[in-house]
Amino acid sequence: MKISKIYSNNEAFKSIVFDTGINFILSDDHSVGKSTLFELLDFCLLKGSKGFLSRDQFRDFTFYLELELDSNSYLTIIRPITGTAKISVKVTNHSDILLDTTVFDKTGGVDAIKKFIEEKMNFCLEDYRKYLTYFLRDQDNQSDIFVLNKFVQQKHIYYKPLISNLLGIDGSKIRRKYELDNEIETLTKEIIVKENDLGSYRTKESILEEISVYEKQASEKEELYSNFDFYLAEKGISTELVSNLEEEISTLNQRRNSLNREIDYINKSLEEEIAISGEDIEGLFDEMKLLFPSDLKENYDSVINFNKQIMEERVSVFKENKIEFLAEIENIEKELFVLNKKRVDMLSVLKNTDTMEKFKELEKEVINFKTKIDLHKERLTIFDEIASKKAELQKKKDELVLVIKENKTIITSPFILQIKSNLIKYGKMIFNRELAFSIGFNTSDNIDFSLKVENSSGFDNALDEGHTIKKLLCFIFAVALAESYSNKKFFKFVAFDSPFDGDKNTYQDGVYNVLKELESKNIQTIITSVSDVINNANNLKEIRQKYTKRFLSESDKLIGDF
């Protein structure tokens, strides 16, 4: 797969058409969009986040990235900035501009489009995005040969299997080693916790013996407890009987209190009298020296007489109710007397006898023995769980031995030898020194990768004192991989941000020769650089005349100001 061109529906972004060989994006200064190109290419190749494109000024942009496939066909990814499910893809048999196209082979979200692309590419490694950054290396991914920026905070289990896959080693087997380490550590901790739960017990037999003793003691106490239950039965006493008795007494007391409240209300009502009479009204008018009309006097007299009649009827009803309530209270008192006597008799047996105290003690002892037995049975279960986990632990350890043994046999292959040969070749071209590349296993039997440059004192990476050397080692690793995969369905390009920059970059001619070598191997390169840092005038002239696909400046930035 090579990158054919990138363009947009917005004229603020000028199209870039790439050659199948060497491609330069030059600039006259920094901060004009060289590095931004890498982020834009990554976004079009279905990176999840938008990065700088999330700014509001880009919301109406749609980008088109055309890829040339190994089948001599072209696949264009159409990705708008807005609309997460509006990504489209179209396959054509020739390079084309699809700005006016409305019919696509697939439209959907990132996952659906990625699946479609992977089927069309048919890469030799699954999930192209996991490996993309090794071939699309921006400035943020040039400080470590093997550990990309996104892996810096991650454990080795997450990226070493990927590097292994990239080097032709079965990454699933490398990953399995880490998984087994984690599983063994987890099981070991779980066993320690469960052994601590056992306290001082170290054998099941000691627990079983104590359970036997507790069961015998509990049986003896239960027999005494049963005999006392029989004694209570003879007395006609049971827990249920006492409970029912208490409930009946409580109900009668509540009824008695309710009746007493009703009687109090009746007594207060019987004491009430009509507050005013006809004579009082007439006297009031006399005091005010007003005439008391005869017809008004008759009306007042009628009302007063009516109220007297109602009051007399109420009094009659209240007196009858009071008699009934008093009679009911008398009956309740008699019942309560009988029930309270029964309760006193029962409590005298339940509370005031030595036998009852012994019964209570027996009850506690039976419960105590049963609790001890239950706890011991839980400990027996823990023993079984420990045995099960130890068996599982041993199984994991046995598997680990086999995995380690097998892993040590898969780090040598013709493909790895080819990668090593390419690394040495490109290291010699750039540094004019030997490179030593190794794949091995550390003292923890985990895979490690090493790429060192020879110097006067050996392969101690003394050259690794500046960012330039690290950057160029990343570049060498990328191009060596690209050539090694040149006959496979995989990336056929290396995009590298500013390999000519650097405080100690005396290796520019070597880098340029590598680009020529890659072109002869049909491997595409996309290189960014500030033109002034390229110190070989002949090389710069050739780059400007033959390989520059876009020149960026303060007045002509990649995608405007942001």
Side-chain angles (χ1 to χ4, degrees):
M1 180 193 88
K2 295 183 178 181
I3 298 175
S4 178
K5 59 173 169 280
I6 183 169
Y7 54 101
S8 173
N9 67 332
N10 194 305
E11 293 181 356
F13 179 82
K14 295 179 182 178
S15 303
I16 303 176
V17 178
F18 297 97
D19 188 71
T20 57
I22 301 173
N23 299 269
F24 270 82
I25 306 297
L26 292 180
S27 71
D28 60 2
D29 201 354
H30 296 282
S31 303
V32 292
K34 299 191 313 300
S35 299
T36 303
L37 175 64
F38 286 80
E39 193 168 352
L40 181 57
L41 291 172
D42 201 7
F43 172 75
C44 291
L45 285 165
L46 304 183
K47 182 180 181 180
S49 62
K50 297 179 183 179
F52 77 93
L53 293 168
S54 61
R55 297 173 182 265
D56 191 62
Q57 69 194 78
F58 300 116
R59 63 187 310 273
D60 295 326
F61 278 65
T62 296
F63 288 95
Y64 296 72
L65 179 66
E66 184 182 80
L67 307 173
E68 182 180 353
L69 305 183
D70 293 344
S71 58
N72 295 321
S73 59
Y74 294 82
L75 184 149
T76 301
I77 301 170
I78 302 98
R79 188 166 189 187
I81 301 303
T82 56
T84 56
K86 295 181 179 180
I87 308 170
S88 299
V89 63
K90 188 173 182 63
V91 178
T92 57
N93 56 16
H94 61 278
S95 181
D96 202 355
I97 299 294
L98 304 180
L99 290 172
D100 297 325
T101 302
T102 58
V103 179
F104 306 103
D105 295 317
K106 183 74 175 179
T107 298
V110 168
D111 292 338
I113 298 301
K114 186 157 76 74
K115 182 179 179 181
F116 179 88
I117 292 173
E118 287 176 340
E119 290 174 354
K120 292 296 179 183
M121 290 179 177
N122 194 25
F123 271 2
C124 57
L125 293 178
E126 293 182 358
D127 196 346
Y128 70 91
R129 283 216 52 88
K130 290 181 179 179
Y131 310 98
L132 173 64
T133 310
Y134 286 103
F135 302 89
L136 185 68
R137 296 195 83 146
D138 58 9
Q139 296 277 18
D140 291 337
N141 287 286
Q142 298 175 7
S143 59
D144 192 287
I145 304 166
F146 307 106
V147 184
L148 300 175
N149 191 48
K150 62 183 177 182
F151 296 144
V152 171
Q153 301 297 326
Q154 292 188 341
K155 295 181 178 179
H156 292 184
I157 188 175
Y158 295 108
Y159 66 87
K160 283 192 175 181
L162 294 180
I163 300 172
S164 299
N165 285 334
L166 200 55
L167 296 173
I169 300 168
D170 188 346
S172 64
K173 297 184 183 299
I174 301 301
R175 182 180 182 85
R176 185 58 186 150
K177 164 61 172 60
Y178 286 104
E179 290 174 345
L180 285 169
D181 284 342
N182 293 337
E183 290 167 7
I184 288 170
E185 182 182 3
T186 299
L187 283 169
T188 301
K189 289 180 179 178
E190 290 176 352
I191 290 171
I192 292 172
V193 170
K194 289 190 175 295
E195 286 177 341
N196 290 336
D197 290 341
L198 289 174
S200 61
Y201 295 98
R202 289 294 174 263
T203 65
K204 289 179 67 175
E205 288 70 24
S206 62
I207 295 176
L208 288 169
E209 182 61 27
E210 290 184 14
I211 288 177
S212 176
V213 173
Y214 288 146
E215 285 178 340
K216 179 182 177 183
Q217 291 174 309
S219 178
E220 292 171 353
K221 299 299 181 182
E222 283 179 332
E223 184 177 357
L224 293 174
Y225 186 86
S226 298
N227 290 337
F228 190 80
D229 267 351
F230 181 73
Y231 164 77
L232 290 179
E234 284 186 328
K235 295 286 187 179
I237 301 173
S238 68
T239 305
E240 183 180 0
L241 180 61
V242 174
S243 177
N244 291 339
L245 184 63
E246 293 286 353
E247 184 177 351
E248 190 174 352
I249 290 173
S250 175
T251 301
L252 288 172
N253 279 326
Q254 289 177 8
R255 177 60 180 163
R256 181 178 59 181
N257 292 337
S258 177
L259 290 171
N260 282 328
R261 285 194 296 271
E262 290 291 335
I263 291 172
D264 286 342
Y265 174 75
I266 290 172
N267 289 336
K268 290 179 181 179
S269 298
L270 291 176
E271 292 173 0
E272 293 179 356
E273 296 180 358
I274 297 177
I276 192 168
S277 64
E279 289 80 2
D280 293 332
I281 297 296
E282 188 172 357
L284 180 61
F285 270 77
D286 289 340
E287 289 178 9
M288 297 174 65
K289 301 184 183 302
L290 295 174
L291 178 64
F292 189 18
S294 59
D295 55 345
L296 180 59
K297 182 177 184 302
E298 290 176 1
N299 287 338
Y300 270 104
D301 288 340
S302 298
V303 171
I304 291 169
N305 290 332
F306 178 72
N307 284 337
K308 284 182 178 180
Q309 184 179 355
I310 291 175
M311 178 61 74
E312 289 172 357
E313 291 176 358
R314 286 182 64 201
V315 168
S316 175
V317 172
F318 282 164
K319 288 180 178 179
E320 291 176 1
N321 287 344
K322 182 177 180 180
I323 292 170
E324 292 178 5
F325 293 162
L326 289 171
E328 187 175 352
I329 288 173
E330 185 178 357
N331 291 332
I332 288 173
E333 296 286 357
K334 291 178 181 178
E335 289 184 53
L336 284 173
F337 177 80
V338 174
L339 293 174
N340 282 320
K341 189 174 185 308
K342 284 184 180 181
R343 182 171 63 174
V344 170
D345 292 340
M346 288 182 184
L347 292 177
S348 66
V349 175
L350 294 176
K351 293 184 178 179
N352 300 324
T353 65
D354 292 338
T355 307
M356 193 60 212
E357 291 301 323
K358 291 178 181 179
F359 172 73
K360 289 180 179 179
E361 187 63 30
L362 279 173
E363 188 176 38
K364 290 179 182 178
E365 289 178 350
V366 169
I367 292 172
N368 185 42
F369 284 129
K370 287 185 175 180
T371 301
K372 289 179 178 179
I373 291 169
D374 289 340
L375 288 174
H376 271 29
K377 287 181 177 179
E378 288 179 8
R379 292 188 178 104
L380 288 178
T381 301
I382 292 174
F383 266 105
D384 292 338
E385 291 173 351
I386 290 174
S388 175
K389 288 187 178 295
K390 284 185 174 180
E392 186 180 358
L393 178 62
Q394 188 58 51
K395 185 178 178 181
K396 300 289 185 187
K397 287 181 176 180
D398 292 342
E399 184 185 354
L400 180 62
V401 171
L402 294 175
V403 167
I404 291 172
K405 184 178 180 181
E406 185 177 6
N407 283 351
K408 290 181 179 180
T409 67
I410 62 176
I411 60 173
T412 302
S413 69
F415 186 67
I416 293 173
L417 293 175
Q418 183 181 356
I419 293 174
K420 183 179 294 187
S421 175
N422 289 331
L423 285 167
I424 292 171
K425 177 179 74 171
Y426 290 117
K428 191 77 171 178
M429 290 178 67
I430 291 178
F431 297 121
N432 196 28
R433 296 172 182 266
E434 295 294 332
L435 259 64
F437 173 65
S438 65
I439 305 170
F441 292 87
N442 57 29
T443 55
S444 299
D445 289 313
N446 290 318
I447 198 165
D448 262 338
F449 315 99
S450 174
L451 182 60
K452 295 182 179 180
V453 185
E454 183 190 25
N455 60 40
S456 58
S457 58
F459 291 93
D460 59 3
N461 263 9
L463 287 176
D464 208 7
E465 294 174 349
H467 178 70
T468 300
I469 301 302
K470 293 180 180 179
K471 173 199 291 279
L472 293 178
L473 285 173
C474 292
F475 178 70
I476 290 169
F477 186 64
V479 299
L481 284 173
E483 181 174 338
S484 301
Y485 276 95
S486 61
N487 295 322
K488 300 177 182 290
K489 287 185 177 296
F490 205 54
F491 300 114
K492 298 294 192 304
F493 70 85
V494 173
F496 206 91
D497 193 4
S498 305
F500 292 92
D501 292 3
D503 51 350
K504 299 177 181 180
N505 197 342
T506 59
Y507 311 103
Q508 292 188 8
D509 288 348
V511 172
Y512 194 62
N513 290 334
V514 167
L515 299 181
K516 293 292 189 71
E517 174 71 8
L518 292 171
E519 184 179 32
S520 70
K521 301 290 184 181
N522 194 30
I523 297 170
Q524 181 188 44
T525 52
I526 300 173
I527 305 297
T528 63
S529 181
V530 175
S531 58
D532 289 349
V533 305
I534 301 175
N535 51 37
N536 186 311
N538 291 328
N539 289 346
L540 179 58
K541 181 179 179 181
E542 185 176 45
I543 290 170
R544 285 181 177 275
Q545 293 176 350
K546 189 174 180 181
Y547 300 124
T548 300
K549 305 305 173 185
R550 181 80 192 273
F551 190 90
L552 304 174
S553 64
E554 189 65 31
S555 60
D556 187 14
K557 295 182 179 180
L558 179 73
I559 196 170
D561 292 316
F562 60 90

